[in-house]
Amino acid sequence: MLSLQGISKGFPGVKALTDVSLDVAAGEIHALVGENGAGKSTLTRVIAGVFQPDAGTVRFDGRETVWKGPGDAKRHGVHVIYQEFVLFPHLSVAENIFVGHERRNRLGLIDHGRTRRDAKELLARFGIDIDPEALVRDLSVADQQMVEIAKALVHDVKLLILDEPTAVISGREVDVLFDRLRRLKQQGVAIVYISHRLEEIFALCDRVSVLKDGNHVATRTIDEVTRDQLIALMVGRNLAELFPVRRSAKAPGPVVVAARNVEVSGRVRGASIELRAGEITGLAGMVGAGRSELALAMFGAIPMRSGSLVVDGREVSGLSPRRAIDLGIGLVTEDRKGQGLAMLLDVAANVSASTLNEFGRGWRFDRAREKRVAEQEIASYRIACRGPSTPVSVMSGGNQQKVLVARWARTSTRLLILDEPTRGVDVGAKTEIYRIMHELADRGVAVLMISSELPEIVGMSERVVVMREGVVTGELSKSEISEEAVVELATRRLAG
């Protein structure tokens, strides 16, 4: 279905792809893996007609092809589901699914009734339980992802490219997605599957191609490569090195922050958690368990219906993000681009965002000092960029994440909450983020890590708290932590 020969693509000062060749057969699920910056996104955009290659040829459905643009590729059956959603938050689910392909009546006017009916039928066929009339802005991130997938399947798909499709879903939603992709495969659709979650590659894909530094390293069938070998091809690093051993073996310190009987309307029910100085605590559970809502409530970003936050033994009044920051609490949000980073600003401005008063007030803002501080953080956190003035929008996901961590590490003297800290970043960047978490804990900071990846929870946590449907179902000490124990608590039937 797709054959790439000798594809090269460069940008000013950057060679993104060099002589890349690979093919994807009809009825095949073909994984594309590599670190951030390996060239996966650029190659995807070449296939989808966003970029024209500087050299090489693209053959699609048996013919050499030069797309005039993304619309041309889409008309021929090439559809991409990007990691960053392309949805209209103020429109309904049905309207988003059929945007650009509106259902119309005989007079040429939009037929809203038919739009809702067709959307309901499509969602049901895909196994998605979402109200077609609901506004997208009111959906969870996981449900928004499912709408994005449903939107692509409206069309006649010959080649479907998915970029990190499970980054924001888990459990049943992943099973539903995999089932649908297997059905599309049986129908002869060629699928390119991009993911950093290697367990998904082995569970779903037929072949895997590895990119590194813009070069095609290897293509293997799934049954001829192991997880360790695949990581070695990607980064030259053994799997055993993925979760670094923490240098400090000190016992955890006193409780510095505690949430007591927190209620968040509709999402969290009487949840309590204690966080100790120098300890990395994992917060686990399925998507929708209320983990992020609990974190946001502890940071003062959403209101508690009831309950309290206790810092160093004293209950906090008037909790807000500003108050949390003053208390030494930081939050790296799950949605780094939508809620974390200022994408139009540079590294220096993003690093300083939570401590602006440190650099002056009003027109006396000390930009030179801000840049010096950013240079220190760039070196400390090994952020790959051209310097403090680099726009964060041009950086890889892993380096964007390290900018966010650098920002909050400057202010988080008591507690740093990390919500899905390695979502959508490569194996190498993950290891760097894990190293940073260890360094913060060694400095006496309490670290709360929310993660949907069980190997990450098991590999990094010194204690694990598990939630289900807004309720804390249990807690595991270091010696008790295992994937099986976490899953048992995450799926435990709730009393009543």
Side-chain angles (χ1 to χ4, degrees):
M1 183 60 69
L2 175 71
S3 179
L4 306 176
Q5 295 295 324
I7 298 294
S8 296
K9 180 65 182 177
F11 302 96
V14 178
K15 186 75 172 190
L17 296 171
T18 303
D19 195 27
V20 173
S21 298
L22 62 87
D23 61 88
V24 183
E28 175 190 27
I29 303 179
H30 193 120
L32 185 62
V33 301
E35 295 186 88
N36 285 104
K40 303 187 301 295
S41 294
T42 302
L43 187 63
T44 296
R45 285 164 170 78
V46 168
I47 297 170
V50 178
F51 298 148
Q52 294 296 327
D54 299 331
T57 58
V58 177
R59 294 185 65 84
F60 182 73
D61 204 9
R63 298 180 180 179
E64 186 172 330
T65 302
V66 178
W67 302 126
K68 297 176 182 177
D72 188 22
K74 186 175 288 187
R75 282 189 294 273
H76 284 82
V78 178
H79 297 275
V80 183
I81 300 174
Y82 293 103
Q83 185 178 347
E84 304 302 327
F85 305 148
V86 186
L87 296 171
F88 296 92
H90 298 289
L91 296 182
S92 71
V93 169
E95 289 167 330
N96 270 276
I97 288 175
F98 293 109
V99 68
H101 300 270
E102 289 78 9
R103 277 24 188 171
R104 299 181 182 274
N105 59 25
R106 295 177 182 177
L107 299 177
L109 302 176
I110 293 177
D111 187 336
H112 293 287
R114 183 185 166 204
T115 298
R116 288 191 295 271
R117 289 191 301 271
D118 287 358
K120 186 175 182 178
E121 179 184 339
L122 178 65
L123 290 168
R125 195 165 68 243
F126 194 61
I128 305 171
D129 184 19
I130 302 175
D131 181 1
E133 298 184 56
L135 295 180
V136 163
R137 69 184 180 192
D138 296 330
L139 300 180
S140 67
V141 177
D143 282 344
Q144 290 181 23
Q145 171 72 295
M146 301 308 277
V147 172
E148 189 73 75
I149 292 169
K151 189 173 73 172
L153 296 176
V154 169
H155 311 280
D156 179 22
V157 180
K158 293 182 179 178
L159 172 66
L160 181 64
I161 304 173
L162 300 101
D163 186 1
E164 298 288 349
T166 64
V168 293
I169 61 177
S170 66
R172 179 182 174 277
E173 287 116 336
V174 174
D175 294 337
V176 169
L177 172 64
F178 283 11
D179 177 67
R180 184 58 181 168
L181 294 180
R182 291 184 181 110
R183 277 189 272 166
L184 289 172
K185 169 187 169 180
Q186 291 172 358
Q187 296 167 17
V189 175
I191 299 171
V192 175
Y193 191 90
I194 302 171
S195 178
H196 292 302
R197 297 183 176 182
L198 300 186
E199 65 275 10
E200 295 178 359
I201 302 300
F202 287 95
L204 181 67
C205 301
D206 302 300
R207 289 193 296 161
V208 56
S209 290
V210 182
L211 296 183
K212 182 175 174 59
D213 299 326
N215 294 279
H216 176 227
V217 175
T219 294
R220 300 279 190 272
T221 60
I222 287 299
D223 58 7
E224 68 178 353
V225 65
T226 67
R227 183 185 176 92
D228 284 5
Q229 290 168 342
L230 191 54
I231 288 176
L233 288 170
M234 292 167 61
V235 297
R237 184 179 289 115
N238 190 286
L239 180 61
E241 298 174 299
L242 181 57
F243 299 107
V245 177
R246 187 173 168 189
R247 297 175 185 173
S248 173
K250 295 178 182 178
V255 174
V256 289
V257 178
R260 307 288 191 204
N261 300 312
V262 173
E263 298 268 349
V264 175
S265 183
R267 302 310 296 259
V268 181
R269 299 185 285 155
S272 298
I273 185 171
E274 292 185 339
L275 302 164
R276 298 179 177 275
E279 183 179 46
I280 299 174
T281 303
L283 184 56
M286 303 299 182
V287 169
R291 299 166 303 167
S292 295
E293 289 78 8
L294 177 59
L296 289 168
M298 292 173 65
F299 188 65
I302 59 176
M304 293 183 190
R305 189 174 180 179
S306 63
S308 61
L309 187 74
V310 178
V311 176
D312 290 342
R314 296 182 179 180
E315 185 172 328
V316 178
S317 59
L319 184 60
S320 67
R322 181 70 265 169
R323 178 82 169 116
I325 292 170
D326 292 341
L327 289 167
I329 300 172
L331 171 64
V332 176
T333 61
E334 176 184 10
D335 183 0
R336 63 173 170 265
K337 292 187 178 180
Q339 297 177 333
L341 294 167
M343 295 301 293
L344 298 180
L345 300 182
D346 60 20
V347 172
N350 273 278
V351 167
S352 68
S354 62
T355 55
L356 293 177
N357 290 343
E358 177 185 340
F359 303 97
R361 297 177 183 274
W363 63 273
R364 294 187 176 182
F365 191 83
D366 192 341
R367 176 67 171 166
R369 182 162 179 262
E370 181 189 53
K371 286 188 174 182
R372 289 196 298 273
V373 168
E375 286 173 348
Q376 294 171 0
E377 303 299 344
I378 288 168
S380 177
Y381 293 98
R382 303 176 190 175
I383 301 170
C385 64
R386 295 191 299 273
S389 299
T390 304
V392 295
S393 59
V394 304
M395 297 167 64
S396 70
N399 285 297
Q400 288 177 346
Q401 191 75 340
K402 285 192 279 185
V403 170
L404 264 183
V405 173
R407 174 203 296 172
W408 290 111
R410 300 188 70 242
T411 63
S412 302
T413 55
R414 283 189 174 91
L415 168 65
L416 178 58
I417 304 170
L418 298 153
D419 193 351
E420 301 289 0
T422 63
R423 172 192 161 198
V425 306
D426 61 73
V427 177
K430 282 185 178 184
T431 303
E432 280 294 298
I433 291 170
Y434 298 151
R435 176 187 65 80
I436 293 167
M437 290 169 61
H438 281 168
E439 290 179 357
L440 289 169
D442 288 343
R443 281 167 22 196
V445 177
V447 177
L448 177 62
M449 178 187 69
I450 302 171
S451 178
S452 298
E453 295 192 31
L454 285 178
E456 186 169 78
I457 287 287
V458 174
M460 286 299 296
S461 303
E462 292 155 330
R463 183 166 54 94
V464 175
V465 176
V466 186
M467 294 181 69
R468 178 182 178 182
E469 296 177 17
V471 176
V472 173
T473 55
E475 182 176 308
L476 301 168
S477 64
K478 181 67 175 178
S479 61
E480 297 171 324
I481 298 172
S482 69
E483 292 191 25
E484 293 77 11
V486 173
V487 170
E488 194 278 326
L489 289 172
T491 57
R492 174 176 289 179
R493 179 185 293 273
L494 301 179

